[in-house]
Amino acid sequence: MADAQIILAYGRDTGIVAIGHGERYKAAHEALAAADFRRGDDWVFHLPGVDEDASRATVANLVRHATAHGAEVVTSSHRFIGDTARDIARLLPGQWDVRIELYSHPVWQQDLVPWLWDSGELVRAVQTQRIPYAATLTDTAETTLLLVERPGHQLGYLVGAFAPEPFEEGYGDPHAPHSIALPPFAGRAARGIADRFLPTYERAVHARRIATVAEALARIHAEQDAWAAIIASSRHRNAPPLGEAAETFLNRAWAEFLAIAQHAPVLLDRCRPAATNWPGDARVLAELADALTDAEDLDRDASLTLTERDARLRAVLGTWLTHSEPFLRQARAATPPRQQTVPAAALPHQALPRGQHAPRR
């Protein structure tokens, strides 16, 4: 692949579009500007609306300018990815915002790797194949999908997800869902996302929430054991002052509890103890929910003395440590809400149109 390349594709509303990329992508941009292509706000170059003969002449002119700038001009077998992403988004349940992503320099696409929450083909492609551009689809719940043309295929796409915001980076996470391949049909692609990928994604988010809470509870247990050891050794001359040790324990335990406060409410809301083998856990779950409310009140109630605050914090931590096992078994038995599917009536039967070849000289 040339170190400066221009990819031509066809946009439904914009006609011929062009994307420059490579280590010398600026040379590609200079060639496009010299050939009268105009750069949009998304950094995609567009050929102003002209007739077919004029388009043919302009593209021929672009090839000459590209050669002079040391850039290669190629034509995509796909249509413009922005059109594809918008067609799919319109068929997905809910509201989705589409944005175009350009990775003009090859190293830029590596910025995706830490944030991609994927254990399938997509993350491998981003790491090993050239991905000059992509589209993101984000819904109102801030689920963000990444759509790319499938490397090595004339048609077809890959879709995966970024890590949910509360989890920050997602690379290498064992709970990450698998990206899936999509066909070049808007309706079938949307159904694949709605029926296959999004349910898998939601289950993965659910499992990662459980793991996050379980890990936080384990660390609080460890802090409590360390605190108990300090109390047991308090009679020794070299033991730290109990007041200082108590403050350290509570500060560390509270820092860990913040993850529980963030993820446990969603998990509690999904628990249905009556449908499990442990219906008696309903009382325990109610106590845990009340403890979360008490924890929220601690931050809002400025009238509490330090002693009162510490006592209530200990009570909250004690409730969650005591009932961690029934909570985790109920959370693991729970399931995320079922995503809506794409109605069959909304599925067009025609394929997404292939990218139109740019006129040749």
Side-chain angles (χ1 to χ4, degrees):
M1 182 181 292
D3 58 3
Q5 191 176 78
I6 297 169
I7 299 176
L8 299 180
Y10 184 78
R12 178 174 49 229
D13 300 321
T14 54
I16 297 175
V17 299
I19 297 172
H21 70 98
E23 293 182 1
R24 296 180 54 252
Y25 69 90
K26 291 183 179 179
H29 289 177
E30 290 169 0
L32 285 164
D36 295 328
F37 278 74
R38 297 177 185 172
R39 192 183 71 198
D41 293 337
D42 55 7
W43 282 78
V44 175
F45 284 79
H46 305 268
L47 183 63
V50 291
D51 60 32
E52 184 175 343
D53 289 338
S55 294
R56 184 179 295 108
T58 301
V59 172
N61 189 37
L62 170 63
V63 172
R64 287 192 291 270
H65 282 290
T67 300
H69 284 80
E72 177 188 20
V73 179
V74 299
T75 303
S76 174
S77 60
H78 294 73
R79 65 172 182 155
F80 180 46
I81 197 167
D83 291 344
T84 300
R86 281 185 281 270
D87 285 348
I88 292 172
R90 278 193 287 268
L91 294 172
L92 288 175
Q95 299 294 319
W96 294 79
D97 176 63
V98 173
R99 298 188 63 177
I100 307 305
E101 297 268 330
L102 300 186
Y103 316 115
S104 300
H105 195 287
V107 300
W108 294 357
Q109 72 188 64
Q110 297 304 317
D111 292 340
L112 295 171
V113 174
W115 305 101
L116 275 178
W117 198 39
D118 182 52
S119 55
E121 185 179 349
L122 177 60
V123 71
R124 293 194 296 272
V126 170
Q127 289 177 298
T128 62
Q129 304 292 322
R130 183 71 182 102
I131 309 290
Y133 49 82
T136 60
L137 295 82
T138 303
D139 70 356
T140 52
E142 298 187 351
T143 298
T144 299
L145 309 179
L146 184 71
L147 179 75
V148 305
E149 295 171 359
R150 193 178 187 187
H153 292 71
Q154 288 294 309
L155 295 172
Y157 301 86
L158 294 174
V159 69
F162 289 102
E165 186 174 347
F167 300 121
E168 297 181 349
E169 296 184 0
Y171 179 73
D173 176 34
H175 302 96
H178 284 265
S179 51
I180 63 172
L182 299 176
F185 301 85
R188 293 182 186 177
R191 174 163 280 183
I193 293 173
D195 289 359
R196 293 170 52 208
F197 184 77
L198 288 178
T200 300
Y201 170 86
E202 290 297 337
R203 288 193 296 270
V205 173
H206 184 81
R208 191 169 179 183
R209 286 187 189 275
I210 294 172
T212 300
V213 173
E215 290 164 4
L217 285 168
R219 287 191 289 266
I220 294 173
H221 268 294
E223 293 292 343
Q224 186 184 53
D225 291 344
W227 164 242
I230 290 173
I231 293 178
S233 64
S234 61
R235 64 179 65 91
H236 299 296
R237 185 180 305 172
N238 60 350
L242 286 180
E244 178 183 332
E247 183 178 357
T248 299
F249 161 68
L250 287 176
N251 287 340
R252 289 177 177 174
W254 178 249
E256 297 294 346
F257 190 79
L258 292 178
I260 298 173
Q262 182 177 32
H263 298 290
V266 175
L267 297 173
L268 282 170
D269 189 55
R270 292 174 179 171
C271 289
R272 300 292 183 269
T276 70
N277 293 327
W278 312 278
D281 286 347
R283 177 187 57 81
V284 170
L285 297 183
E287 290 183 25
L288 293 173
D290 290 341
L292 285 177
T293 301
D294 289 343
E296 293 176 2
D297 292 341
L298 290 178
D299 279 340
R300 292 195 294 260
D301 193 346
S303 66
L304 293 174
T305 66
L306 181 60
T307 301
E308 291 171 335
R309 183 181 182 281
D310 287 353
R312 290 179 60 178
L313 178 54
R314 286 179 188 279
V316 169
L317 295 173
T319 299
W320 272 88
L321 291 177
T322 300
H323 300 309
S324 59
E325 183 177 343
F327 167 76
L328 291 174
R329 71 188 177 202
Q330 288 293 334
R332 290 172 181 135
T335 56
R338 181 74 170 89
Q339 293 279 342
Q340 289 180 291
T341 188
V342 177
L347 299 180
H349 296 288
Q350 71 273 20
L352 293 169
R354 292 173 63 94
Q356 293 189 7
H357 288 281
R360 298 181 180 274
R361 284 189 295 179

PDB file of all heavy atoms in Angstrom, residues 289-321:
ATOM      1  N   ALA A 289     -30.395  -2.720  49.331  1.00  0.00           N
ATOM      2  CA  ALA A 289     -30.870  -1.492  48.684  1.00  0.00           C
ATOM      3  C   ALA A 289     -30.962  -0.353  49.691  1.00  0.00           C
ATOM      4  O   ALA A 289     -30.591   0.799  49.393  1.00  0.00           O
ATOM      5  CB  ALA A 289     -32.218  -1.738  48.021  1.00  0.00           C
ATOM      6  N   ASP A 290     -31.449  -0.655  50.889  1.00  0.00           N
ATOM      7  CA  ASP A 290     -31.530   0.375  51.934  1.00  0.00           C
ATOM      8  C   ASP A 290     -30.135   0.861  52.308  1.00  0.00           C
ATOM      9  O   ASP A 290     -29.927   2.068  52.566  1.00  0.00           O
ATOM     10  CB  ASP A 290     -32.238  -0.176  53.180  1.00  0.00           C
ATOM     11  CG  ASP A 290     -33.724  -0.398  52.950  1.00  0.00           C
ATOM     12  OD1 ASP A 290     -34.263   0.189  51.988  1.00  0.00           O
ATOM     13  OD2 ASP A 290     -34.326  -1.159  53.732  1.00  0.00           O
ATOM     14  N   ALA A 291     -29.164  -0.053  52.356  1.00  0.00           N
ATOM     15  CA  ALA A 291     -27.796   0.341  52.691  1.00  0.00           C
ATOM     16  C   ALA A 291     -27.221   1.266  51.624  1.00  0.00           C
ATOM     17  O   ALA A 291     -26.491   2.214  51.936  1.00  0.00           O
ATOM     18  CB  ALA A 291     -26.923  -0.906  52.843  1.00  0.00           C
ATOM     19  N   LEU A 292     -27.560   1.021  50.348  1.00  0.00           N
ATOM     20  CA  LEU A 292     -27.103   1.921  49.281  1.00  0.00           C
ATOM     21  C   LEU A 292     -27.694   3.313  49.453  1.00  0.00           C
ATOM     22  O   LEU A 292     -27.017   4.328  49.246  1.00  0.00           O
ATOM     23  CB  LEU A 292     -27.495   1.358  47.914  1.00  0.00           C
ATOM     24  CG  LEU A 292     -26.673   0.182  47.388  1.00  0.00           C
ATOM     25  CD1 LEU A 292     -27.250  -0.283  46.051  1.00  0.00           C
ATOM     26  CD2 LEU A 292     -25.214   0.562  47.220  1.00  0.00           C
ATOM     27  N   THR A 293     -28.962   3.370  49.842  1.00  0.00           N
ATOM     28  CA  THR A 293     -29.599   4.668  50.096  1.00  0.00           C
ATOM     29  C   THR A 293     -28.913   5.386  51.249  1.00  0.00           C
ATOM     30  O   THR A 293     -28.673   6.602  51.182  1.00  0.00           O
ATOM     31  CB  THR A 293     -31.095   4.476  50.415  1.00  0.00           C
ATOM     32  OG1 THR A 293     -31.728   3.824  49.307  1.00  0.00           O
ATOM     33  CG2 THR A 293     -31.776   5.810  50.667  1.00  0.00           C
ATOM     34  N   ASP A 294     -28.591   4.650  52.303  1.00  0.00           N
ATOM     35  CA  ASP A 294     -27.869   5.241  53.436  1.00  0.00           C
ATOM     36  C   ASP A 294     -26.516   5.780  52.987  1.00  0.00           C
ATOM     37  O   ASP A 294     -26.082   6.847  53.439  1.00  0.00           O
ATOM     38  CB  ASP A 294     -27.670   4.208  54.540  1.00  0.00           C
ATOM     39  CG  ASP A 294     -28.971   3.859  55.250  1.00  0.00           C
ATOM     40  OD1 ASP A 294     -29.938   4.637  55.115  1.00  0.00           O
ATOM     41  OD2 ASP A 294     -29.021   2.814  55.921  1.00  0.00           O
ATOM     42  N   ALA A 295     -25.842   5.042  52.093  1.00  0.00           N
ATOM     43  CA  ALA A 295     -24.536   5.491  51.607  1.00  0.00           C
ATOM     44  C   ALA A 295     -24.666   6.795  50.826  1.00  0.00           C
ATOM     45  O   ALA A 295     -23.825   7.696  50.949  1.00  0.00           O
ATOM     46  CB  ALA A 295     -23.913   4.409  50.734  1.00  0.00           C
ATOM     47  N   GLU A 296     -25.722   6.920  50.025  1.00  0.00           N
ATOM     48  CA  GLU A 296     -25.951   8.167  49.293  1.00  0.00           C
ATOM     49  C   GLU A 296     -26.196   9.317  50.250  1.00  0.00           C
ATOM     50  O   GLU A 296     -25.728  10.445  50.044  1.00  0.00           O
ATOM     51  CB  GLU A 296     -27.135   8.007  48.348  1.00  0.00           C
ATOM     52  CG  GLU A 296     -26.892   7.043  47.204  1.00  0.00           C
ATOM     53  CD  GLU A 296     -28.136   6.856  46.353  1.00  0.00           C
ATOM     54  OE1 GLU A 296     -29.153   7.517  46.649  1.00  0.00           O
ATOM     55  OE2 GLU A 296     -28.091   6.052  45.410  1.00  0.00           O
ATOM     56  N   ASP A 297     -26.945   9.056  51.322  1.00  0.00           N
ATOM     57  CA  ASP A 297     -27.256  10.107  52.291  1.00  0.00           C
ATOM     58  C   ASP A 297     -26.010  10.603  53.012  1.00  0.00           C
ATOM     59  O   ASP A 297     -25.960  11.758  53.440  1.00  0.00           O
ATOM     60  CB  ASP A 297     -28.273   9.594  53.320  1.00  0.00           C
ATOM     61  CG  ASP A 297     -29.644   9.348  52.698  1.00  0.00           C
ATOM     62  OD1 ASP A 297     -29.896   9.907  51.609  1.00  0.00           O
ATOM     63  OD2 ASP A 297     -30.445   8.600  53.291  1.00  0.00           O
ATOM     64  N   LEU A 298     -25.015   9.726  53.154  1.00  0.00           N
ATOM     65  CA  LEU A 298     -23.787  10.136  53.844  1.00  0.00           C
ATOM     66  C   LEU A 298     -23.111  11.300  53.130  1.00  0.00           C
ATOM     67  O   LEU A 298     -22.549  12.191  53.780  1.00  0.00           O
ATOM     68  CB  LEU A 298     -22.816   8.956  53.939  1.00  0.00           C
ATOM     69  CG  LEU A 298     -23.196   7.821  54.887  1.00  0.00           C
ATOM     70  CD1 LEU A 298     -22.158   6.719  54.824  1.00  0.00           C
ATOM     71  CD2 LEU A 298     -23.302   8.331  56.317  1.00  0.00           C
ATOM     72  N   ASP A 299     -23.138  11.294  51.830  1.00  0.00           N
ATOM     73  CA  ASP A 299     -22.498  12.369  51.067  1.00  0.00           C
ATOM     74  C   ASP A 299     -23.310  13.658  51.087  1.00  0.00           C
ATOM     75  O   ASP A 299     -22.759  14.744  50.920  1.00  0.00           O
ATOM     76  CB  ASP A 299     -22.296  11.929  49.608  1.00  0.00           C
ATOM     77  CG  ASP A 299     -21.066  11.057  49.450  1.00  0.00           C
ATOM     78  OD1 ASP A 299     -20.193  11.105  50.331  1.00  0.00           O
ATOM     79  OD2 ASP A 299     -20.986  10.325  48.449  1.00  0.00           O
ATOM     80  N   ARG A 300     -24.616  13.524  51.311  1.00  0.00           N
ATOM     81  CA  ARG A 300     -25.480  14.710  51.261  1.00  0.00           C
ATOM     82  C   ARG A 300     -25.695  15.363  52.615  1.00  0.00           C
ATOM     83  O   ARG A 300     -26.032  16.550  52.679  1.00  0.00           O
ATOM     84  CB  ARG A 300     -26.839  14.314  50.660  1.00  0.00           C
ATOM     85  CG  ARG A 300     -26.782  13.935  49.197  1.00  0.00           C
ATOM     86  CD  ARG A 300     -28.164  13.929  48.593  1.00  0.00           C
ATOM     87  NE  ARG A 300     -28.996  12.875  49.170  1.00  0.00           N
ATOM     88  CZ  ARG A 300     -29.221  11.717  48.580  1.00  0.00           C
ATOM     89  NH1 ARG A 300     -28.673  11.450  47.403  1.00  0.00           N
ATOM     90  NH2 ARG A 300     -30.004  10.809  49.152  1.00  0.00           N
ATOM     91  N   ASP A 301     -25.542  14.610  53.677  1.00  0.00           N
ATOM     92  CA  ASP A 301     -25.857  15.128  55.013  1.00  0.00           C
ATOM     93  C   ASP A 301     -24.620  15.749  55.648  1.00  0.00           C
ATOM     94  O   ASP A 301     -23.770  15.061  56.219  1.00  0.00           O
ATOM     95  CB  ASP A 301     -26.396  13.993  55.893  1.00  0.00           C
ATOM     96  CG  ASP A 301     -27.043  14.513  57.171  1.00  0.00           C
ATOM     97  OD1 ASP A 301     -26.838  15.701  57.500  1.00  0.00           O
ATOM     98  OD2 ASP A 301     -27.753  13.731  57.829  1.00  0.00           O
ATOM     99  N   ALA A 302     -24.521  17.071  55.548  1.00  0.00           N
ATOM    100  CA  ALA A 302     -23.359  17.776  56.103  1.00  0.00           C
ATOM    101  C   ALA A 302     -23.453  17.958  57.608  1.00  0.00           C
ATOM    102  O   ALA A 302     -22.484  18.384  58.246  1.00  0.00           O
ATOM    103  CB  ALA A 302     -23.217  19.143  55.430  1.00  0.00           C
ATOM    104  N   SER A 303     -24.604  17.647  58.193  1.00  0.00           N
ATOM    105  CA  SER A 303     -24.780  17.851  59.637  1.00  0.00           C
ATOM    106  C   SER A 303     -24.192  16.718  60.467  1.00  0.00           C
ATOM    107  O   SER A 303     -24.075  16.839  61.692  1.00  0.00           O
ATOM    108  CB  SER A 303     -26.270  17.995  59.967  1.00  0.00           C
ATOM    109  OG  SER A 303     -26.956  16.775  59.717  1.00  0.00           O
ATOM    110  N   LEU A 304     -23.803  15.620  59.837  1.00  0.00           N
ATOM    111  CA  LEU A 304     -23.272  14.479  60.580  1.00  0.00           C
ATOM    112  C   LEU A 304     -21.891  14.794  61.155  1.00  0.00           C
ATOM    113  O   LEU A 304     -21.045  15.406  60.487  1.00  0.00           O
ATOM    114  CB  LEU A 304     -23.160  13.256  59.668  1.00  0.00           C
ATOM    115  CG  LEU A 304     -24.458  12.632  59.155  1.00  0.00           C
ATOM    116  CD1 LEU A 304     -24.143  11.523  58.160  1.00  0.00           C
ATOM    117  CD2 LEU A 304     -25.279  12.085  60.316  1.00  0.00           C
ATOM    118  N   THR A 305     -21.696  14.388  62.389  1.00  0.00           N
ATOM    119  CA  THR A 305     -20.351  14.470  62.961  1.00  0.00           C
ATOM    120  C   THR A 305     -19.509  13.353  62.369  1.00  0.00           C
ATOM    121  O   THR A 305     -20.029  12.397  61.775  1.00  0.00           O
ATOM    122  CB  THR A 305     -20.389  14.333  64.486  1.00  0.00           C
ATOM    123  OG1 THR A 305     -20.825  13.004  64.821  1.00  0.00           O
ATOM    124  CG2 THR A 305     -21.340  15.355  65.118  1.00  0.00           C
ATOM    125  N   LEU A 306     -18.199  13.458  62.556  1.00  0.00           N
ATOM    126  CA  LEU A 306     -17.311  12.434  62.028  1.00  0.00           C
ATOM    127  C   LEU A 306     -17.623  11.076  62.654  1.00  0.00           C
ATOM    128  O   LEU A 306     -17.629  10.048  61.959  1.00  0.00           O
ATOM    129  CB  LEU A 306     -15.853  12.814  62.300  1.00  0.00           C
ATOM    130  CG  LEU A 306     -14.795  11.834  61.765  1.00  0.00           C
ATOM    131  CD1 LEU A 306     -14.911  11.697  60.256  1.00  0.00           C
ATOM    132  CD2 LEU A 306     -13.395  12.315  62.160  1.00  0.00           C
ATOM    133  N   THR A 307     -17.931  11.079  63.941  1.00  0.00           N
ATOM    134  CA  THR A 307     -18.255   9.826  64.632  1.00  0.00           C
ATOM    135  C   THR A 307     -19.533   9.217  64.077  1.00  0.00           C
ATOM    136  O   THR A 307     -19.613   7.997  63.839  1.00  0.00           O
ATOM    137  CB  THR A 307     -18.403  10.071  66.140  1.00  0.00           C
ATOM    138  OG1 THR A 307     -17.179  10.604  66.653  1.00  0.00           O
ATOM    139  CG2 THR A 307     -18.739   8.786  66.869  1.00  0.00           C
ATOM    140  N   GLU A 308     -20.547  10.056  63.859  1.00  0.00           N
ATOM    141  CA  GLU A 308     -21.806   9.557  63.306  1.00  0.00           C
ATOM    142  C   GLU A 308     -21.611   9.020  61.887  1.00  0.00           C
ATOM    143  O   GLU A 308     -22.156   7.964  61.529  1.00  0.00           O
ATOM    144  CB  GLU A 308     -22.852  10.671  63.306  1.00  0.00           C
ATOM    145  CG  GLU A 308     -23.319  11.079  64.695  1.00  0.00           C
ATOM    146  CD  GLU A 308     -24.177  12.332  64.668  1.00  0.00           C
ATOM    147  OE1 GLU A 308     -24.027  13.136  63.715  1.00  0.00           O
ATOM    148  OE2 GLU A 308     -24.993  12.513  65.586  1.00  0.00           O
ATOM    149  N   ARG A 309     -20.847   9.762  61.120  1.00  0.00           N
ATOM    150  CA  ARG A 309     -20.617   9.332  59.738  1.00  0.00           C
ATOM    151  C   ARG A 309     -19.886   7.996  59.712  1.00  0.00           C
ATOM    152  O   ARG A 309     -20.251   7.094  58.940  1.00  0.00           O
ATOM    153  CB  ARG A 309     -19.806  10.393  58.990  1.00  0.00           C
ATOM    154  CG  ARG A 309     -19.574  10.070  57.526  1.00  0.00           C
ATOM    155  CD  ARG A 309     -18.732  11.150  56.848  1.00  0.00           C
ATOM    156  NE  ARG A 309     -18.550  10.845  55.442  1.00  0.00           N
ATOM    157  CZ  ARG A 309     -17.682   9.969  54.953  1.00  0.00           C
ATOM    158  NH1 ARG A 309     -16.909   9.288  55.801  1.00  0.00           N
ATOM    159  NH2 ARG A 309     -17.573   9.766  53.660  1.00  0.00           N
ATOM    160  N   ASP A 310     -18.855   7.859  60.520  1.00  0.00           N
ATOM    161  CA  ASP A 310     -18.093   6.616  60.543  1.00  0.00           C
ATOM    162  C   ASP A 310     -18.964   5.439  60.976  1.00  0.00           C
ATOM    163  O   ASP A 310     -18.855   4.333  60.426  1.00  0.00           O
ATOM    164  CB  ASP A 310     -16.885   6.745  61.480  1.00  0.00           C
ATOM    165  CG  ASP A 310     -15.785   7.625  60.887  1.00  0.00           C
ATOM    166  OD1 ASP A 310     -15.915   8.017  59.716  1.00  0.00           O
ATOM    167  OD2 ASP A 310     -14.805   7.919  61.611  1.00  0.00           O
ATOM    168  N   ALA A 311     -19.835   5.683  61.943  1.00  0.00           N
ATOM    169  CA  ALA A 311     -20.702   4.610  62.432  1.00  0.00           C
ATOM    170  C   ALA A 311     -21.665   4.154  61.330  1.00  0.00           C
ATOM    171  O   ALA A 311     -21.891   2.943  61.140  1.00  0.00           O
ATOM    172  CB  ALA A 311     -21.475   5.079  63.666  1.00  0.00           C
ATOM    173  N   ARG A 312     -22.234   5.113  60.614  1.00  0.00           N
ATOM    174  CA  ARG A 312     -23.170   4.744  59.547  1.00  0.00           C
ATOM    175  C   ARG A 312     -22.445   4.079  58.379  1.00  0.00           C
ATOM    176  O   ARG A 312     -22.975   3.162  57.755  1.00  0.00           O
ATOM    177  CB  ARG A 312     -23.933   5.977  59.091  1.00  0.00           C
ATOM    178  CG  ARG A 312     -24.929   6.470  60.131  1.00  0.00           C
ATOM    179  CD  ARG A 312     -25.671   7.723  59.688  1.00  0.00           C
ATOM    180  NE  ARG A 312     -26.428   7.507  58.454  1.00  0.00           N
ATOM    181  CZ  ARG A 312     -27.191   8.441  57.893  1.00  0.00           C
ATOM    182  NH1 ARG A 312     -27.287   9.641  58.465  1.00  0.00           N
ATOM    183  NH2 ARG A 312     -27.856   8.180  56.788  1.00  0.00           N
ATOM    184  N   LEU A 313     -21.226   4.541  58.118  1.00  0.00           N
ATOM    185  CA  LEU A 313     -20.448   3.922  57.050  1.00  0.00           C
ATOM    186  C   LEU A 313     -20.107   2.480  57.397  1.00  0.00           C
ATOM    187  O   LEU A 313     -20.197   1.582  56.552  1.00  0.00           O
ATOM    188  CB  LEU A 313     -19.167   4.726  56.804  1.00  0.00           C
ATOM    189  CG  LEU A 313     -18.217   4.176  55.741  1.00  0.00           C
ATOM    190  CD1 LEU A 313     -18.942   3.969  54.416  1.00  0.00           C
ATOM    191  CD2 LEU A 313     -17.028   5.115  55.555  1.00  0.00           C
ATOM    192  N   ARG A 314     -19.757   2.245  58.651  1.00  0.00           N
ATOM    193  CA  ARG A 314     -19.473   0.874  59.091  1.00  0.00           C
ATOM    194  C   ARG A 314     -20.717  -0.007  58.921  1.00  0.00           C
ATOM    195  O   ARG A 314     -20.619  -1.175  58.541  1.00  0.00           O
ATOM    196  CB  ARG A 314     -19.034   0.874  60.554  1.00  0.00           C
ATOM    197  CG  ARG A 314     -17.634   1.387  60.796  1.00  0.00           C
ATOM    198  CD  ARG A 314     -17.329   1.344  62.303  1.00  0.00           C
ATOM    199  NE  ARG A 314     -16.085   1.992  62.591  1.00  0.00           N
ATOM    200  CZ  ARG A 314     -14.883   1.439  62.439  1.00  0.00           C
ATOM    201  NH1 ARG A 314     -14.804   0.199  61.985  1.00  0.00           N
ATOM    202  NH2 ARG A 314     -13.789   2.112  62.717  1.00  0.00           N
ATOM    203  N   ALA A 315     -21.880   0.567  59.222  1.00  0.00           N
ATOM    204  CA  ALA A 315     -23.121  -0.213  59.096  1.00  0.00           C
ATOM    205  C   ALA A 315     -23.382  -0.576  57.635  1.00  0.00           C
ATOM    206  O   ALA A 315     -23.788  -1.712  57.324  1.00  0.00           O
ATOM    207  CB  ALA A 315     -24.291   0.585  59.668  1.00  0.00           C
ATOM    208  N   VAL A 316     -23.159   0.378  56.734  1.00  0.00           N
ATOM    209  CA  VAL A 316     -23.349   0.114  55.305  1.00  0.00           C
ATOM    210  C   VAL A 316     -22.395  -0.986  54.843  1.00  0.00           C
ATOM    211  O   VAL A 316     -22.800  -1.957  54.182  1.00  0.00           O
ATOM    212  CB  VAL A 316     -23.123   1.399  54.484  1.00  0.00           C
ATOM    213  CG1 VAL A 316     -23.043   1.067  52.986  1.00  0.00           C
ATOM    214  CG2 VAL A 316     -24.235   2.398  54.743  1.00  0.00           C
ATOM    215  N   LEU A 317     -21.128  -0.837  55.190  1.00  0.00           N
ATOM    216  CA  LEU A 317     -20.138  -1.830  54.781  1.00  0.00           C
ATOM    217  C   LEU A 317     -20.463  -3.196  55.380  1.00  0.00           C
ATOM    218  O   LEU A 317     -20.348  -4.231  54.707  1.00  0.00           O
ATOM    219  CB  LEU A 317     -18.740  -1.381  55.208  1.00  0.00           C
ATOM    220  CG  LEU A 317     -18.196  -0.112  54.537  1.00  0.00           C
ATOM    221  CD1 LEU A 317     -16.882   0.300  55.181  1.00  0.00           C
ATOM    222  CD2 LEU A 317     -18.012  -0.322  53.041  1.00  0.00           C
ATOM    223  N   GLY A 318     -20.877  -3.191  56.639  1.00  0.00           N
ATOM    224  CA  GLY A 318     -21.207  -4.455  57.300  1.00  0.00           C
ATOM    225  C   GLY A 318     -22.350  -5.176  56.628  1.00  0.00           C
ATOM    226  O   GLY A 318     -22.327  -6.411  56.470  1.00  0.00           O
ATOM    227  N   THR A 319     -23.364  -4.424  56.210  1.00  0.00           N
ATOM    228  CA  THR A 319     -24.509  -5.044  55.525  1.00  0.00           C
ATOM    229  C   THR A 319     -24.072  -5.697  54.221  1.00  0.00           C
ATOM    230  O   THR A 319     -24.460  -6.834  53.915  1.00  0.00           O
ATOM    231  CB  THR A 319     -25.592  -3.986  55.247  1.00  0.00           C
ATOM    232  OG1 THR A 319     -26.053  -3.443  56.483  1.00  0.00           O
ATOM    233  CG2 THR A 319     -26.766  -4.589  54.499  1.00  0.00           C
ATOM    234  N   TRP A 320     -23.266  -4.999  53.455  1.00  0.00           N
ATOM    235  CA  TRP A 320     -22.851  -5.545  52.171  1.00  0.00           C
ATOM    236  C   TRP A 320     -21.877  -6.704  52.322  1.00  0.00           C
ATOM    237  O   TRP A 320     -21.932  -7.663  51.553  1.00  0.00           O
ATOM    238  CB  TRP A 320     -22.255  -4.432  51.300  1.00  0.00           C
ATOM    239  CG  TRP A 320     -23.339  -3.759  50.523  1.00  0.00           C
ATOM    240  CD1 TRP A 320     -24.108  -2.709  50.910  1.00  0.00           C
ATOM    241  CD2 TRP A 320     -23.814  -4.164  49.236  1.00  0.00           C
ATOM    242  NE1 TRP A 320     -25.036  -2.413  49.942  1.00  0.00           N
ATOM    243  CE2 TRP A 320     -24.871  -3.283  48.897  1.00  0.00           C
ATOM    244  CE3 TRP A 320     -23.455  -5.152  48.338  1.00  0.00           C
ATOM    245  CZ2 TRP A 320     -25.567  -3.395  47.703  1.00  0.00           C
ATOM    246  CZ3 TRP A 320     -24.136  -5.255  47.138  1.00  0.00           C
ATOM    247  CH2 TRP A 320     -25.188  -4.383  46.830  1.00  0.00           C
ATOM    248  N   LEU A 321     -21.009  -6.631  53.319  1.00  0.00           N
ATOM    249  CA  LEU A 321     -20.088  -7.753  53.531  1.00  0.00           C
ATOM    250  C   LEU A 321     -20.847  -8.987  54.029  1.00  0.00           C
ATOM    251  O   LEU A 321     -20.558 -10.116  53.620  1.00  0.00           O
ATOM    252  CB  LEU A 321     -18.999  -7.359  54.526  1.00  0.00           C
ATOM    253  CG  LEU A 321     -17.997  -6.307  54.030  1.00  0.00           C
ATOM    254  CD1 LEU A 321     -17.009  -5.953  55.131  1.00  0.00           C
ATOM    255  CD2 LEU A 321     -17.247  -6.808  52.797  1.00  0.00           C
TER     256      LEU A 321
END
